[in-house]
């Protein structure tokens, strides 16, 4: 199977066998159909032979020997271990030839992921390049050894900074969370709109969002990525593979995969950033295990929005920014795929939210407890005192990026004032402006 043969089989799932993937935390298991046998590893001579066939000029990744990577990681010492996932263990290393610090991911030969995921990831990351995708430096296919070499991401994964924090670790502030969300959305936008044919990521979750200096987000782990529909096709039919809690409902039930499946997964990640909760958390009380199921009833009442904010934020976030972020998340996790926004619209909204800075003088610390509604007249007078006339300026900025500023006490029916309705209107208005410009 050559590189282009791999690319072809990547589109034809009937020749493929699904893999099970263990999550880092164990709380979120993976969707897969039954499979018991483990594929045999390709010998290095066959890999090299296939790599020399037509199309190999497109593979920009370097090839390393196992000896080189063993030396880079000090023979895979435990002190060099960065983490462990379904693929295998990841080690920090330094290449002897260049001195570059790298992350080396070693396939577990007794694990449940195998040669196909390895080949797909090498191919994908060799052909796709973007500032919000992790950079693949090279790979090793010596004998039965399978290793991938990436750029080193010093701040680890988003999961490391969001869930199960040690007491001495500082939580992410609101602006940083929106910056990370915007960066991950830009990576998806590149896969959906810039790559040709489009690529469906299929495994977006907190542990697959890596963080560079300055909390610059990059998507990693492309072993489950899939080429999207082209031409007049609306979806790709494939076996269900992904992480429980992040999979879109229509994909989990029917196996019909679209780019809107990624948008759903992104909505779950955005909810995790806003609430601090895990996608699946069995330690929560009954009815709160699934993050989306817990959030949906709360979307209907904006007075409960402050209760959805991560308690670790201690109320240090702009209330308007919280409403807008929740509106975007609500649209992304809509049960009907057609109701979800395009990722390009999500990027526009989150880029704006990431540019906003929390100021305790103009944005007082918010209470997470439900308080009685403020009379509209008194609320309006209070906002004038706090903003100092800046509301008109904010409204102009919101209008340019296509965001409607929510208001707790908006008049009208509950459906019209819901974040889903607002986000839908914002998306439709943005589409009309695009068509008008065209």
């Amino acid at each position: 199977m050559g590189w282009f043969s791999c690319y072809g089989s990547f589109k034809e799932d009937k020749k493929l066998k699904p893999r099970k993937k263990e999550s880092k935390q164990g709380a979120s298991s993976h969707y897969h159909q039954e499979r018991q046998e483990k594929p045999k590893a390709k010998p290095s001579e066959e890999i090299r032979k296939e790599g020399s066939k037509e199309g190999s000029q497109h593979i920009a990744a370097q090839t390393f020997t196992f000896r080189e990577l063993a030396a880079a990681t000090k023979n895979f010492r435990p002190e060099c271990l960065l983490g462990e996932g379904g693929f295998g263990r990841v080690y920090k290393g330094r290449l002897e030839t260049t001195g570059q610090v790298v992350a080396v991911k070693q396939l577990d030969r007794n694990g449940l992921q195998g040669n196909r995921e390895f080949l797909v990831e090498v191919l994908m990351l060799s052909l796709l390049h973007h500032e919000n995708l992790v950079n693949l430096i090279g790979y090793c296919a010596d004998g039965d050894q399978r290793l991938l070499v990436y750029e080193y991401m010093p701040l680890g994964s988003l999961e490391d900074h969001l869930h199960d924090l040690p007491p001495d670790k500082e939580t992410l502030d609101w602006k940083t969370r929106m910056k990370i969300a915007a960066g991950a959305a830009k990576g998806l936008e590149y896969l959906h709109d810039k790559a040709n044919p489009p690529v469906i990521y299929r495994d977006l979750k907190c542990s697959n969002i890596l963080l560079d200096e300055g909390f610059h987000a990059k998507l990693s782990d492309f072993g489950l990525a899939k080429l999207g529909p082209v031409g007049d096709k609306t979806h790709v039919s494939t076996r269900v593979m992904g992480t429980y809690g992040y999979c879109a409902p229509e994909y989990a039930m029917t196996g019909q995969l679209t780019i809107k499946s990624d948008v759903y997964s992104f909505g779950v990640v955005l909810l995790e950033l806003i609430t601090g909760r895990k996608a699946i958390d069995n330690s929560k009380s009954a009815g709160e295990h699934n993050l989306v199921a817990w959030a949906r009833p709360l979307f209907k009442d904006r007075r409960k929005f402050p209760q959805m904010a991560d308690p670790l934020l201690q109320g240090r976030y702009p209330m308007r920014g919280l409403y807008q972020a929740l509106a975007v998340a609500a649209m992304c996790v809509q049960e009907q795929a057609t109701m979800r926004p395009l990722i390009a619209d999500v990027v526009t909204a989150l880029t704006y939210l990431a540019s906003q800075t929390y100021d305790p003088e103009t944005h007082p610390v918010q209470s997470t407890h439900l308080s009685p509604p403020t009379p509209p007249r008194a609320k309006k007078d209070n906002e004038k005192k706090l903003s100092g006339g800046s509301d008109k300026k904010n409204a102009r900025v919101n209008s340019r990026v296509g965001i409607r500023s929510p208001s707790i006490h908006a008049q009208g029916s509950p459906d019209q004032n819901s974040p889903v309705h607002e986000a839908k209107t914002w998306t439709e208005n943005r589409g009309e402006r695009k068509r008008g410009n065209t």
Side-chain angles (χ1 to χ4, degrees):
M1 176 171 61
W3 289 117
F4 274 109
S5 298
C6 168
Y7 203 64
S9 65
F10 184 43
K11 294 185 287 187
E12 298 178 11
D13 276 327
K14 62 184 180 180
K15 299 179 182 178
L16 305 175
K17 295 182 179 179
R19 308 285 189 268
K20 289 186 178 180
K21 183 176 179 181
E22 298 175 353
S23 64
K24 179 180 178 182
Q25 296 296 332
S28 57
S29 59
H30 283 240
Y31 280 119
H32 288 289
Q33 295 183 354
E34 293 184 358
R35 179 188 176 278
Q36 299 296 332
E37 67 274 13
K38 175 175 171 291
K40 295 181 179 180
K42 286 264 190 177
S44 59
E45 293 79 6
E46 188 171 350
I47 292 289
R48 294 192 188 98
K49 179 180 178 181
E50 299 299 330
S52 64
K53 290 184 178 181
E54 182 182 0
S56 63
Q57 64 270 19
H58 297 294
I59 305 301
Q62 303 176 41
T63 55
F64 293 94
T65 64
F66 181 75
R67 184 186 299 272
E68 288 176 308
L69 299 183
T73 57
K74 301 178 181 178
N75 204 25
F76 304 98
R77 288 185 182 176
E79 57 265 31
C80 296
L81 183 66
L82 295 175
E84 187 170 3
F87 185 98
R89 295 180 176 180
V90 182
Y91 296 86
K92 181 180 179 180
R94 184 184 295 273
L95 299 177
E96 291 185 341
T97 54
T98 62
Q100 182 180 1
V101 179
V102 295
V104 180
K105 184 160 68 171
Q106 183 179 31
L107 171 65
D108 181 3
R109 286 173 288 177
N110 297 319
L112 296 173
Q113 287 197 42
N115 202 59
R116 177 183 177 271
E117 283 80 2
F118 173 82
L119 293 173
V120 169
E121 186 143 8
V122 171
L123 178 64
M124 282 292 178
L125 290 179
S126 295
L127 300 176
L128 304 173
H129 300 282
H130 188 264
E131 62 180 0
N132 293 108
L133 304 183
V134 71
N135 182 37
L136 178 70
I137 296 173
Y139 65 95
C140 169
D142 266 357
D144 59 355
Q145 295 290 344
R146 296 290 179 272
L147 301 100
L148 296 167
V149 184
Y150 302 96
E151 61 176 323
Y152 175 65
M153 302 294 282
L155 299 185
S157 72
L158 172 57
E159 185 178 51
D160 300 331
H161 296 267
L162 197 59
H163 302 313
D164 301 322
L165 296 180
D168 58 339
K169 192 164 187 176
E170 188 175 352
T171 187
L172 297 172
D173 60 42
W174 177 259
K175 183 178 176 67
T176 302
R177 295 181 191 217
M178 293 300 100
K179 177 181 179 180
I180 293 171
K186 289 175 183 177
L188 273 187
E189 182 186 27
Y190 171 78
L191 296 177
H192 291 180
D193 298 344
K194 307 294 171 54
N196 187 19
V199 174
I200 303 174
Y201 185 39
R202 207 162 44 150
D203 201 17
L204 182 61
K205 56 185 177 180
C206 287
S207 59
N208 282 347
I209 299 175
L210 302 185
L211 303 173
D212 204 349
E213 295 288 355
F215 291 96
H216 181 75
K218 298 189 179 186
L219 305 183
S220 68
D221 198 346
F222 283 73
L224 298 184
K226 183 78 178 170
L227 292 182
V230 294
D232 57 353
K233 295 182 180 179
T234 59
H235 65 271
V236 176
S237 295
T238 178
R239 290 176 172 85
V240 178
M241 303 173 72
T243 305
Y244 180 66
Y246 294 91
C247 279
E250 76 282 353
Y251 173 49
M253 291 186 293
T254 68
Q256 293 185 353
L257 185 67
T258 70
I259 57 176
K260 293 296 184 72
S261 305
D262 278 347
V263 174
Y264 181 94
S265 301
F266 178 83
V268 178
V269 171
L270 182 56
L271 273 178
E272 289 186 88
L273 282 164
I274 296 170
T275 65
R277 290 172 172 248
K278 298 178 182 178
I280 297 293
D281 191 348
N282 293 322
S283 67
K284 297 290 184 183
S285 59
E288 297 187 11
H289 295 170
N290 186 292
L291 175 58
V292 175
W294 167 80
R296 277 192 174 129
L298 300 177
F299 285 146
K300 300 176 182 178
D301 188 352
R302 9 175 118 256
R303 292 175 300 175
K304 296 181 180 179
F305 281 12
Q307 297 180 19
M308 299 178 70
D310 188 351
L312 294 180
L313 288 171
Q314 298 180 343
R316 297 184 177 90
Y317 52 83
M319 184 63 77
R320 181 173 294 174
L322 173 67
Y323 292 166
Q324 293 169 340
L326 284 172
V328 175
M331 276 298 292
C332 289
V333 296
Q334 287 274 53
E335 289 192 16
Q336 293 184 0
T338 55
M339 298 293 291
R340 298 172 202 151
L342 294 172
I343 196 64
D345 293 327
V346 175
V347 169
T348 301
L350 293 177
T351 301
Y352 167 72
L353 293 178
S355 68
Q356 303 302 296
T357 302
Y358 171 74
D359 186 349
E361 294 184 2
T362 58
H363 302 94
V365 175
Q366 309 296 337
S367 172
T368 57
H369 299 288
L370 182 62
S371 58
T374 307
R377 182 63 178 266
K379 175 181 176 292
K380 187 174 181 181
D381 293 340
N382 290 337
E383 286 182 346
K384 285 183 178 179
K385 292 177 182 179
L386 290 173
S387 63
S390 61
D391 282 349
K392 291 183 179 179
K393 179 180 178 182
N394 290 337
R396 288 195 298 270
V397 174
N398 289 353
S399 177
R400 285 199 299 271
V401 298
I403 298 179
R404 296 180 61 206
S405 300
S407 171
I408 297 180
H409 310 288
Q411 302 299 316
S413 66
D415 289 340
Q416 290 175 337
N417 293 327
S418 70
V420 173
H421 180 270
E422 279 196 357
K424 180 182 178 183
T425 305
W426 148 63
T427 305
E428 290 173 348
N429 290 343
R430 175 175 166 79
E432 289 175 2
R433 284 197 298 275
K434 284 183 176 179
R435 288 192 293 272
N437 293 337
T438 303

